[in-house]
Amino acid sequence: GESVGLHLPTLSVQEGDNSIINCAYSNSASDYFIWYKQESGKGPQFIIDIRSNMDKRQGQRVTVLLNKTVKHLSLQIAATQPGDSAVYFCAENNNFNKFYFGSGTKLNVKP
Amino acid sequence: GAVVSQHPSWVICKSGTSVKIECRSLDFQATTMFWYRQFPKQSLMLMATSNEGSKATYEQGVEKDKFLINHASLTLSTLTVTSAHPEDSSFYICSVDSGDSRREQFFGPGTRLTVL
């Protein structure tokens, strides 16, 4: 499958600060991307998605940015809360129904 | 979205035995399901695509004779790890495909397999 994501980093932020999580993807044909949140021992949980015809999409407290030129995604979480602590994965899709996941980023929110 | 369950949530077995993991779509008829494997502190790796009424398609490097997939109904896919060994210990997660242009996937809670 495609190679998605960076070597797993850990991001520590203070409660209330904004968080930015990054992801690189390698398949320029990918046209749909999703950010997932995974808590320990659980399955992934959908956060937000974006299609390749957009470069920004906003949800509640979250924003995804897509830069197709450099094949880069980012997830911005505003006013990070302790409940946001988890591992975050980006996943890419290229017009078939398979998704390939990046290596993930662990987010630690300090109270 | 679809509600997806997995059974068992965790299982411990002896080396050499076979283990069956079930993935159920509780409120959605799923033509296509997916199976992933996740080792500790690593990402989800797509193992195979489970197709209702036909053979599963496996990703490169995944042994189809070791990981048997059966998708006999629109609500159930099973993954059987045959002759399990300690290196098969992992978190196995299934997902259900929305089957439409949205390309959404709904994930199960996962099954933790430990092979002694």
PDB file of all heavy atoms in Angstrom, chain A residues 46-82:
ATOM      1  N   PHE A  46     -13.663   8.606  13.756  1.00  0.00           N
ATOM      2  CA  PHE A  46     -13.622   9.663  12.730  1.00  0.00           C
ATOM      3  C   PHE A  46     -13.615  11.039  13.383  1.00  0.00           C
ATOM      4  O   PHE A  46     -14.389  11.314  14.300  1.00  0.00           O
ATOM      5  CB  PHE A  46     -14.858   9.510  11.837  1.00  0.00           C
ATOM      6  CG  PHE A  46     -15.018  10.598  10.804  1.00  0.00           C
ATOM      7  CD1 PHE A  46     -14.559  10.416   9.518  1.00  0.00           C
ATOM      8  CD2 PHE A  46     -15.671  11.793  11.109  1.00  0.00           C
ATOM      9  CE1 PHE A  46     -14.729  11.403   8.557  1.00  0.00           C
ATOM     10  CE2 PHE A  46     -15.841  12.775  10.159  1.00  0.00           C
ATOM     11  CZ  PHE A  46     -15.368  12.587   8.881  1.00  0.00           C
ATOM     12  N   ILE A  47     -12.718  11.912  12.877  1.00  0.00           N
ATOM     13  CA  ILE A  47     -12.705  13.291  13.362  1.00  0.00           C
ATOM     14  C   ILE A  47     -13.190  14.236  12.273  1.00  0.00           C
ATOM     15  O   ILE A  47     -14.150  14.975  12.450  1.00  0.00           O
ATOM     16  CB  ILE A  47     -11.295  13.714  13.798  1.00  0.00           C
ATOM     17  CG1 ILE A  47     -10.785  12.827  14.917  1.00  0.00           C
ATOM     18  CG2 ILE A  47     -11.292  15.176  14.258  1.00  0.00           C
ATOM     19  CD1 ILE A  47      -9.345  13.119  15.278  1.00  0.00           C
ATOM     20  N   ILE A  48     -12.481  14.228  11.152  1.00  0.00           N
ATOM     21  CA  ILE A  48     -12.798  15.150  10.074  1.00  0.00           C
ATOM     22  C   ILE A  48     -12.189  14.623   8.789  1.00  0.00           C
ATOM     23  O   ILE A  48     -11.195  13.894   8.819  1.00  0.00           O
ATOM     24  CB  ILE A  48     -12.272  16.571  10.397  1.00  0.00           C
ATOM     25  CG1 ILE A  48     -12.842  17.597   9.412  1.00  0.00           C
ATOM     26  CG2 ILE A  48     -10.746  16.606  10.427  1.00  0.00           C
ATOM     27  CD1 ILE A  48     -12.599  19.046   9.839  1.00  0.00           C
ATOM     28  N   ASP A  49     -12.809  14.969   7.674  1.00  0.00           N
ATOM     29  CA  ASP A  49     -12.290  14.529   6.384  1.00  0.00           C
ATOM     30  C   ASP A  49     -12.128  15.726   5.447  1.00  0.00           C
ATOM     31  O   ASP A  49     -12.626  16.822   5.714  1.00  0.00           O
ATOM     32  CB  ASP A  49     -13.191  13.468   5.752  1.00  0.00           C
ATOM     33  CG  ASP A  49     -14.625  13.964   5.494  1.00  0.00           C
ATOM     34  OD1 ASP A  49     -14.952  15.109   5.889  1.00  0.00           O
ATOM     35  OD2 ASP A  49     -15.415  13.197   4.913  1.00  0.00           O
ATOM     36  N   ILE A  50     -11.416  15.495   4.362  1.00  0.00           N
ATOM     37  CA  ILE A  50     -11.253  16.527   3.351  1.00  0.00           C
ATOM     38  C   ILE A  50     -11.011  15.858   2.005  1.00  0.00           C
ATOM     39  O   ILE A  50     -10.322  14.843   1.927  1.00  0.00           O
ATOM     40  CB  ILE A  50     -10.098  17.490   3.719  1.00  0.00           C
ATOM     41  CG1 ILE A  50     -10.074  18.697   2.766  1.00  0.00           C
ATOM     42  CG2 ILE A  50      -8.748  16.770   3.711  1.00  0.00           C
ATOM     43  CD1 ILE A  50      -9.180  19.826   3.257  1.00  0.00           C
ATOM     44  N   ARG A  51     -11.574  16.449   0.969  1.00  0.00           N
ATOM     45  CA  ARG A  51     -11.361  15.938  -0.379  1.00  0.00           C
ATOM     46  C   ARG A  51     -10.334  16.812  -1.076  1.00  0.00           C
ATOM     47  O   ARG A  51     -10.092  17.949  -0.692  1.00  0.00           O
ATOM     48  CB  ARG A  51     -12.682  15.885  -1.138  1.00  0.00           C
ATOM     49  CG  ARG A  51     -13.660  14.936  -0.462  1.00  0.00           C
ATOM     50  CD  ARG A  51     -14.903  14.623  -1.262  1.00  0.00           C
ATOM     51  NE  ARG A  51     -15.813  13.795  -0.478  1.00  0.00           N
ATOM     52  CZ  ARG A  51     -15.757  12.473  -0.396  1.00  0.00           C
ATOM     53  NH1 ARG A  51     -14.830  11.819  -1.076  1.00  0.00           N
ATOM     54  NH2 ARG A  51     -16.606  11.797   0.354  1.00  0.00           N
ATOM     55  N   SER A  52      -9.770  16.279  -2.134  1.00  0.00           N
ATOM     56  CA  SER A  52      -8.625  16.953  -2.752  1.00  0.00           C
ATOM     57  C   SER A  52      -9.000  18.229  -3.489  1.00  0.00           C
ATOM     58  O   SER A  52      -8.115  18.985  -3.893  1.00  0.00           O
ATOM     59  CB  SER A  52      -7.914  16.000  -3.708  1.00  0.00           C
ATOM     60  OG  SER A  52      -8.781  15.574  -4.730  1.00  0.00           O
ATOM     61  N   ASN A  53     -10.284  18.482  -3.655  1.00  0.00           N
ATOM     62  CA  ASN A  53     -10.687  19.729  -4.310  1.00  0.00           C
ATOM     63  C   ASN A  53     -10.793  20.884  -3.302  1.00  0.00           C
ATOM     64  O   ASN A  53     -11.229  21.978  -3.648  1.00  0.00           O
ATOM     65  CB  ASN A  53     -12.000  19.558  -5.062  1.00  0.00           C
ATOM     66  CG  ASN A  53     -13.148  19.158  -4.162  1.00  0.00           C
ATOM     67  OD1 ASN A  53     -12.942  18.848  -2.990  1.00  0.00           O
ATOM     68  ND2 ASN A  53     -14.348  19.159  -4.703  1.00  0.00           N
ATOM     69  N   MET A  54     -10.408  20.599  -2.061  1.00  0.00           N
ATOM     70  CA  MET A  54     -10.416  21.622  -1.020  1.00  0.00           C
ATOM     71  C   MET A  54      -9.020  21.701  -0.419  1.00  0.00           C
ATOM     72  O   MET A  54      -8.243  20.747  -0.488  1.00  0.00           O
ATOM     73  CB  MET A  54     -11.415  21.264   0.070  1.00  0.00           C
ATOM     74  CG  MET A  54     -12.834  21.049  -0.421  1.00  0.00           C
ATOM     75  SD  MET A  54     -13.903  20.430   0.890  1.00  0.00           S
ATOM     76  CE  MET A  54     -14.019  21.872   1.924  1.00  0.00           C
ATOM     77  N   ASP A  55      -8.714  22.846   0.200  1.00  0.00           N
ATOM     78  CA  ASP A  55      -7.451  22.930   0.920  1.00  0.00           C
ATOM     79  C   ASP A  55      -7.649  23.192   2.410  1.00  0.00           C
ATOM     80  O   ASP A  55      -6.688  23.160   3.181  1.00  0.00           O
ATOM     81  CB  ASP A  55      -6.533  23.989   0.312  1.00  0.00           C
ATOM     82  CG  ASP A  55      -7.216  25.341   0.179  1.00  0.00           C
ATOM     83  OD1 ASP A  55      -8.204  25.580   0.893  1.00  0.00           O
ATOM     84  OD2 ASP A  55      -6.762  26.153  -0.648  1.00  0.00           O
ATOM     85  N   LYS A  56      -8.900  23.382   2.798  1.00  0.00           N
ATOM     86  CA  LYS A  56      -9.171  23.619   4.215  1.00  0.00           C
ATOM     87  C   LYS A  56     -10.599  23.205   4.517  1.00  0.00           C
ATOM     88  O   LYS A  56     -11.506  23.437   3.717  1.00  0.00           O
ATOM     89  CB  LYS A  56      -8.976  25.103   4.537  1.00  0.00           C
ATOM     90  CG  LYS A  56      -9.229  25.479   5.986  1.00  0.00           C
ATOM     91  CD  LYS A  56      -8.993  26.975   6.199  1.00  0.00           C
ATOM     92  CE  LYS A  56      -9.235  27.380   7.644  1.00  0.00           C
ATOM     93  NZ  LYS A  56      -8.982  28.834   7.861  1.00  0.00           N
ATOM     94  N   ARG A  57     -10.766  22.610   5.689  1.00  0.00           N
ATOM     95  CA  ARG A  57     -12.108  22.257   6.129  1.00  0.00           C
ATOM     96  C   ARG A  57     -12.146  22.393   7.639  1.00  0.00           C
ATOM     97  O   ARG A  57     -11.231  21.963   8.336  1.00  0.00           O
ATOM     98  CB  ARG A  57     -12.463  20.840   5.705  1.00  0.00           C
ATOM     99  CG  ARG A  57     -13.910  20.472   5.950  1.00  0.00           C
ATOM    100  CD  ARG A  57     -14.411  19.432   4.954  1.00  0.00           C
ATOM    101  NE  ARG A  57     -15.851  19.297   5.076  1.00  0.00           N
ATOM    102  CZ  ARG A  57     -16.452  18.236   5.593  1.00  0.00           C
ATOM    103  NH1 ARG A  57     -15.744  17.222   6.035  1.00  0.00           N
ATOM    104  NH2 ARG A  57     -17.763  18.193   5.655  1.00  0.00           N
ATOM    105  N   GLN A  58     -13.227  22.971   8.114  1.00  0.00           N
ATOM    106  CA  GLN A  58     -13.334  23.216   9.552  1.00  0.00           C
ATOM    107  C   GLN A  58     -14.476  22.435  10.150  1.00  0.00           C
ATOM    108  O   GLN A  58     -15.546  22.291   9.561  1.00  0.00           O
ATOM    109  CB  GLN A  58     -13.537  24.711   9.813  1.00  0.00           C
ATOM    110  CG  GLN A  58     -12.291  25.542   9.580  1.00  0.00           C
ATOM    111  CD  GLN A  58     -12.496  26.994   9.955  1.00  0.00           C
ATOM    112  OE1 GLN A  58     -13.252  27.694   9.293  1.00  0.00           O
ATOM    113  NE2 GLN A  58     -11.830  27.443  10.996  1.00  0.00           N
ATOM    114  N   GLY A  59     -14.216  21.955  11.355  1.00  0.00           N
ATOM    115  CA  GLY A  59     -15.275  21.319  12.123  1.00  0.00           C
ATOM    116  C   GLY A  59     -15.362  22.019  13.466  1.00  0.00           C
ATOM    117  O   GLY A  59     -14.911  23.151  13.620  1.00  0.00           O
ATOM    118  N   GLN A  60     -15.913  21.315  14.414  1.00  0.00           N
ATOM    119  CA  GLN A  60     -16.005  21.900  15.744  1.00  0.00           C
ATOM    120  C   GLN A  60     -14.655  21.767  16.446  1.00  0.00           C
ATOM    121  O   GLN A  60     -14.199  20.669  16.726  1.00  0.00           O
ATOM    122  CB  GLN A  60     -17.077  21.177  16.554  1.00  0.00           C
ATOM    123  CG  GLN A  60     -17.407  21.841  17.871  1.00  0.00           C
ATOM    124  CD  GLN A  60     -18.566  21.156  18.572  1.00  0.00           C
ATOM    125  OE1 GLN A  60     -18.944  20.030  18.249  1.00  0.00           O
ATOM    126  NE2 GLN A  60     -19.147  21.824  19.547  1.00  0.00           N
ATOM    127  N   ARG A  61     -13.977  22.816  16.656  1.00  0.00           N
ATOM    128  CA  ARG A  61     -12.654  22.889  17.291  1.00  0.00           C
ATOM    129  C   ARG A  61     -11.535  22.277  16.461  1.00  0.00           C
ATOM    130  O   ARG A  61     -10.375  22.290  16.861  1.00  0.00           O
ATOM    131  CB  ARG A  61     -12.634  22.203  18.681  1.00  0.00           C
ATOM    132  CG  ARG A  61     -13.170  23.022  19.809  1.00  0.00           C
ATOM    133  CD  ARG A  61     -12.645  22.581  21.167  1.00  0.00           C
ATOM    134  NE  ARG A  61     -12.800  21.160  21.426  1.00  0.00           N
ATOM    135  CZ  ARG A  61     -11.786  20.341  21.667  1.00  0.00           C
ATOM    136  NH1 ARG A  61     -10.549  20.776  21.672  1.00  0.00           N
ATOM    137  NH2 ARG A  61     -12.015  19.054  21.909  1.00  0.00           N
ATOM    138  N   VAL A  62     -11.840  21.675  15.333  1.00  0.00           N
ATOM    139  CA  VAL A  62     -10.807  21.072  14.502  1.00  0.00           C
ATOM    140  C   VAL A  62     -10.826  21.662  13.091  1.00  0.00           C
ATOM    141  O   VAL A  62     -11.883  22.014  12.579  1.00  0.00           O
ATOM    142  CB  VAL A  62     -10.937  19.538  14.425  1.00  0.00           C
ATOM    143  CG1 VAL A  62     -10.688  18.897  15.771  1.00  0.00           C
ATOM    144  CG2 VAL A  62     -12.298  19.135  13.878  1.00  0.00           C
ATOM    145  N   THR A  63      -9.625  21.749  12.532  1.00  0.00           N
ATOM    146  CA  THR A  63      -9.460  22.213  11.164  1.00  0.00           C
ATOM    147  C   THR A  63      -8.451  21.308  10.472  1.00  0.00           C
ATOM    148  O   THR A  63      -7.417  20.978  11.069  1.00  0.00           O
ATOM    149  CB  THR A  63      -8.927  23.659  11.133  1.00  0.00           C
ATOM    150  OG1 THR A  63      -9.853  24.517  11.820  1.00  0.00           O
ATOM    151  CG2 THR A  63      -8.767  24.159   9.703  1.00  0.00           C
ATOM    152  N   VAL A  64      -8.743  20.917   9.266  1.00  0.00           N
ATOM    153  CA  VAL A  64      -7.790  20.136   8.483  1.00  0.00           C
ATOM    154  C   VAL A  64      -7.334  20.989   7.310  1.00  0.00           C
ATOM    155  O   VAL A  64      -8.142  21.645   6.656  1.00  0.00           O
ATOM    156  CB  VAL A  64      -8.383  18.790   8.011  1.00  0.00           C
ATOM    157  CG1 VAL A  64      -9.679  18.969   7.255  1.00  0.00           C
ATOM    158  CG2 VAL A  64      -7.379  18.009   7.189  1.00  0.00           C
ATOM    159  N   LEU A  65      -6.034  20.997   7.094  1.00  0.00           N
ATOM    160  CA  LEU A  65      -5.438  21.698   5.961  1.00  0.00           C
ATOM    161  C   LEU A  65      -4.775  20.683   5.046  1.00  0.00           C
ATOM    162  O   LEU A  65      -4.125  19.745   5.515  1.00  0.00           O
ATOM    163  CB  LEU A  65      -4.395  22.708   6.453  1.00  0.00           C
ATOM    164  CG  LEU A  65      -4.886  23.804   7.385  1.00  0.00           C
ATOM    165  CD1 LEU A  65      -3.717  24.688   7.813  1.00  0.00           C
ATOM    166  CD2 LEU A  65      -5.961  24.644   6.719  1.00  0.00           C
ATOM    167  N   LEU A  66      -4.966  20.874   3.762  1.00  0.00           N
ATOM    168  CA  LEU A  66      -4.389  19.977   2.770  1.00  0.00           C
ATOM    169  C   LEU A  66      -3.525  20.776   1.807  1.00  0.00           C
ATOM    170  O   LEU A  66      -4.002  21.740   1.201  1.00  0.00           O
ATOM    171  CB  LEU A  66      -5.499  19.255   1.999  1.00  0.00           C
ATOM    172  CG  LEU A  66      -5.070  18.390   0.808  1.00  0.00           C
ATOM    173  CD1 LEU A  66      -4.157  17.249   1.266  1.00  0.00           C
ATOM    174  CD2 LEU A  66      -6.291  17.844   0.070  1.00  0.00           C
ATOM    175  N   ASN A  67      -2.276  20.372   1.672  1.00  0.00           N
ATOM    176  CA  ASN A  67      -1.367  20.993   0.710  1.00  0.00           C
ATOM    177  C   ASN A  67      -0.961  19.909  -0.287  1.00  0.00           C
ATOM    178  O   ASN A  67      -0.068  19.093  -0.008  1.00  0.00           O
ATOM    179  CB  ASN A  67      -0.143  21.566   1.421  1.00  0.00           C
ATOM    180  CG  ASN A  67       0.761  22.332   0.468  1.00  0.00           C
ATOM    181  OD1 ASN A  67       0.850  22.011  -0.718  1.00  0.00           O
ATOM    182  ND2 ASN A  67       1.427  23.347   0.973  1.00  0.00           N
ATOM    183  N   LYS A  68      -1.599  19.922  -1.438  1.00  0.00           N
ATOM    184  CA  LYS A  68      -1.354  18.863  -2.418  1.00  0.00           C
ATOM    185  C   LYS A  68       0.008  19.018  -3.092  1.00  0.00           C
ATOM    186  O   LYS A  68       0.577  18.045  -3.573  1.00  0.00           O
ATOM    187  CB  LYS A  68      -2.466  18.863  -3.470  1.00  0.00           C
ATOM    188  CG  LYS A  68      -3.824  18.485  -2.894  1.00  0.00           C
ATOM    189  CD  LYS A  68      -4.892  18.416  -3.955  1.00  0.00           C
ATOM    190  CE  LYS A  68      -5.274  19.791  -4.468  1.00  0.00           C
ATOM    191  NZ  LYS A  68      -5.938  20.618  -3.412  1.00  0.00           N
ATOM    192  N   THR A  69       0.504  20.229  -3.105  1.00  0.00           N
ATOM    193  CA  THR A  69       1.796  20.475  -3.761  1.00  0.00           C
ATOM    194  C   THR A  69       2.908  19.694  -3.079  1.00  0.00           C
ATOM    195  O   THR A  69       3.764  19.096  -3.738  1.00  0.00           O
ATOM    196  CB  THR A  69       2.118  21.970  -3.748  1.00  0.00           C
ATOM    197  OG1 THR A  69       1.063  22.688  -4.387  1.00  0.00           O
ATOM    198  CG2 THR A  69       3.432  22.235  -4.463  1.00  0.00           C
ATOM    199  N   VAL A  70       2.873  19.701  -1.751  1.00  0.00           N
ATOM    200  CA  VAL A  70       3.912  18.988  -0.996  1.00  0.00           C
ATOM    201  C   VAL A  70       3.357  17.732  -0.344  1.00  0.00           C
ATOM    202  O   VAL A  70       4.049  17.100   0.470  1.00  0.00           O
ATOM    203  CB  VAL A  70       4.562  19.906   0.053  1.00  0.00           C
ATOM    204  CG1 VAL A  70       5.304  21.048  -0.631  1.00  0.00           C
ATOM    205  CG2 VAL A  70       3.524  20.450   1.022  1.00  0.00           C
ATOM    206  N   LYS A  71       2.144  17.365  -0.683  1.00  0.00           N
ATOM    207  CA  LYS A  71       1.513  16.153  -0.155  1.00  0.00           C
ATOM    208  C   LYS A  71       1.553  16.117   1.369  1.00  0.00           C
ATOM    209  O   LYS A  71       2.129  15.204   1.988  1.00  0.00           O
ATOM    210  CB  LYS A  71       2.160  14.910  -0.770  1.00  0.00           C
ATOM    211  CG  LYS A  71       1.825  14.766  -2.260  1.00  0.00           C
ATOM    212  CD  LYS A  71       2.384  13.505  -2.889  1.00  0.00           C
ATOM    213  CE  LYS A  71       3.867  13.641  -3.108  1.00  0.00           C
ATOM    214  NZ  LYS A  71       4.452  12.515  -3.862  1.00  0.00           N
ATOM    215  N   HIS A  72       0.924  17.102   1.943  1.00  0.00           N
ATOM    216  CA  HIS A  72       0.973  17.275   3.384  1.00  0.00           C
ATOM    217  C   HIS A  72      -0.415  17.612   3.926  1.00  0.00           C
ATOM    218  O   HIS A  72      -1.158  18.403   3.334  1.00  0.00           O
ATOM    219  CB  HIS A  72       1.965  18.391   3.720  1.00  0.00           C
ATOM    220  CG  HIS A  72       2.145  18.621   5.178  1.00  0.00           C
ATOM    221  ND1 HIS A  72       1.380  19.534   5.883  1.00  0.00           N
ATOM    222  CD2 HIS A  72       2.980  18.061   6.080  1.00  0.00           C
ATOM    223  CE1 HIS A  72       1.754  19.524   7.143  1.00  0.00           C
ATOM    224  NE2 HIS A  72       2.724  18.649   7.300  1.00  0.00           N
ATOM    225  N   LEU A  73      -0.723  17.011   5.050  1.00  0.00           N
ATOM    226  CA  LEU A  73      -1.971  17.265   5.775  1.00  0.00           C
ATOM    227  C   LEU A  73      -1.642  17.746   7.176  1.00  0.00           C
ATOM    228  O   LEU A  73      -0.648  17.300   7.762  1.00  0.00           O
ATOM    229  CB  LEU A  73      -2.756  15.973   5.953  1.00  0.00           C
ATOM    230  CG  LEU A  73      -3.649  15.438   4.876  1.00  0.00           C
ATOM    231  CD1 LEU A  73      -3.990  13.999   5.188  1.00  0.00           C
ATOM    232  CD2 LEU A  73      -4.918  16.257   4.784  1.00  0.00           C
ATOM    233  N   SER A  74      -2.501  18.576   7.706  1.00  0.00           N
ATOM    234  CA  SER A  74      -2.359  18.892   9.120  1.00  0.00           C
ATOM    235  C   SER A  74      -3.731  18.931   9.780  1.00  0.00           C
ATOM    236  O   SER A  74      -4.744  19.192   9.128  1.00  0.00           O
ATOM    237  CB  SER A  74      -1.639  20.220   9.323  1.00  0.00           C
ATOM    238  OG  SER A  74      -2.447  21.296   8.887  1.00  0.00           O
ATOM    239  N   LEU A  75      -3.715  18.641  11.057  1.00  0.00           N
ATOM    240  CA  LEU A  75      -4.924  18.699  11.877  1.00  0.00           C
ATOM    241  C   LEU A  75      -4.666  19.710  12.979  1.00  0.00           C
ATOM    242  O   LEU A  75      -3.694  19.577  13.727  1.00  0.00           O
ATOM    243  CB  LEU A  75      -5.235  17.337  12.491  1.00  0.00           C
ATOM    244  CG  LEU A  75      -6.415  17.297  13.462  1.00  0.00           C
ATOM    245  CD1 LEU A  75      -7.725  17.506  12.708  1.00  0.00           C
ATOM    246  CD2 LEU A  75      -6.452  15.980  14.229  1.00  0.00           C
ATOM    247  N   GLN A  76      -5.506  20.695  13.047  1.00  0.00           N
ATOM    248  CA  GLN A  76      -5.378  21.700  14.085  1.00  0.00           C
ATOM    249  C   GLN A  76      -6.525  21.514  15.073  1.00  0.00           C
ATOM    250  O   GLN A  76      -7.685  21.449  14.669  1.00  0.00           O
ATOM    251  CB  GLN A  76      -5.411  23.103  13.481  1.00  0.00           C
ATOM    252  CG  GLN A  76      -4.280  23.354  12.497  1.00  0.00           C
ATOM    253  CD  GLN A  76      -4.345  24.713  11.847  1.00  0.00           C
ATOM    254  OE1 GLN A  76      -5.224  25.518  12.153  1.00  0.00           O
ATOM    255  NE2 GLN A  76      -3.419  24.986  10.939  1.00  0.00           N
ATOM    256  N   ILE A  77      -6.183  21.439  16.344  1.00  0.00           N
ATOM    257  CA  ILE A  77      -7.179  21.319  17.400  1.00  0.00           C
ATOM    258  C   ILE A  77      -7.101  22.580  18.238  1.00  0.00           C
ATOM    259  O   ILE A  77      -6.048  22.903  18.805  1.00  0.00           O
ATOM    260  CB  ILE A  77      -6.941  20.078  18.279  1.00  0.00           C
ATOM    261  CG1 ILE A  77      -6.887  18.818  17.419  1.00  0.00           C
ATOM    262  CG2 ILE A  77      -8.050  19.963  19.333  1.00  0.00           C
ATOM    263  CD1 ILE A  77      -6.501  17.567  18.207  1.00  0.00           C
ATOM    264  N   ALA A  78      -8.199  23.288  18.307  1.00  0.00           N
ATOM    265  CA  ALA A  78      -8.231  24.533  19.084  1.00  0.00           C
ATOM    266  C   ALA A  78      -8.587  24.235  20.539  1.00  0.00           C
ATOM    267  O   ALA A  78      -9.361  23.318  20.838  1.00  0.00           O
ATOM    268  CB  ALA A  78      -9.266  25.480  18.478  1.00  0.00           C
ATOM    269  N   ALA A  79      -7.969  25.015  21.432  1.00  0.00           N
ATOM    270  CA  ALA A  79      -8.287  24.910  22.864  1.00  0.00           C
ATOM    271  C   ALA A  79      -8.261  23.452  23.307  1.00  0.00           C
ATOM    272  O   ALA A  79      -9.263  22.909  23.789  1.00  0.00           O
ATOM    273  CB  ALA A  79      -9.631  25.555  23.159  1.00  0.00           C
ATOM    274  N   THR A  80      -7.104  22.830  23.156  1.00  0.00           N
ATOM    275  CA  THR A  80      -6.966  21.402  23.426  1.00  0.00           C
ATOM    276  C   THR A  80      -7.374  21.070  24.860  1.00  0.00           C
ATOM    277  O   THR A  80      -7.036  21.781  25.809  1.00  0.00           O
ATOM    278  CB  THR A  80      -5.522  20.973  23.180  1.00  0.00           C
ATOM    279  OG1 THR A  80      -5.073  21.518  21.936  1.00  0.00           O
ATOM    280  CG2 THR A  80      -5.426  19.464  23.087  1.00  0.00           C
ATOM    281  N   GLN A  81      -8.091  19.972  24.985  1.00  0.00           N
ATOM    282  CA  GLN A  81      -8.608  19.531  26.281  1.00  0.00           C
ATOM    283  C   GLN A  81      -8.003  18.178  26.660  1.00  0.00           C
ATOM    284  O   GLN A  81      -7.550  17.430  25.785  1.00  0.00           O
ATOM    285  CB  GLN A  81     -10.137  19.400  26.193  1.00  0.00           C
ATOM    286  CG  GLN A  81     -10.833  20.684  25.792  1.00  0.00           C
ATOM    287  CD  GLN A  81     -12.297  20.460  25.438  1.00  0.00           C
ATOM    288  OE1 GLN A  81     -12.813  19.341  25.505  1.00  0.00           O
ATOM    289  NE2 GLN A  81     -12.982  21.534  25.073  1.00  0.00           N
ATOM    290  N   PRO A  82      -8.010  17.826  27.940  1.00  0.00           N
ATOM    291  CA  PRO A  82      -7.467  16.519  28.347  1.00  0.00           C
ATOM    292  C   PRO A  82      -8.106  15.353  27.597  1.00  0.00           C
ATOM    293  O   PRO A  82      -7.442  14.357  27.307  1.00  0.00           O
ATOM    294  CB  PRO A  82      -7.782  16.478  29.848  1.00  0.00           C
ATOM    295  CG  PRO A  82      -7.753  17.913  30.261  1.00  0.00           C
ATOM    296  CD  PRO A  82      -8.353  18.663  29.102  1.00  0.00           C
TER     297      PRO A  82
END
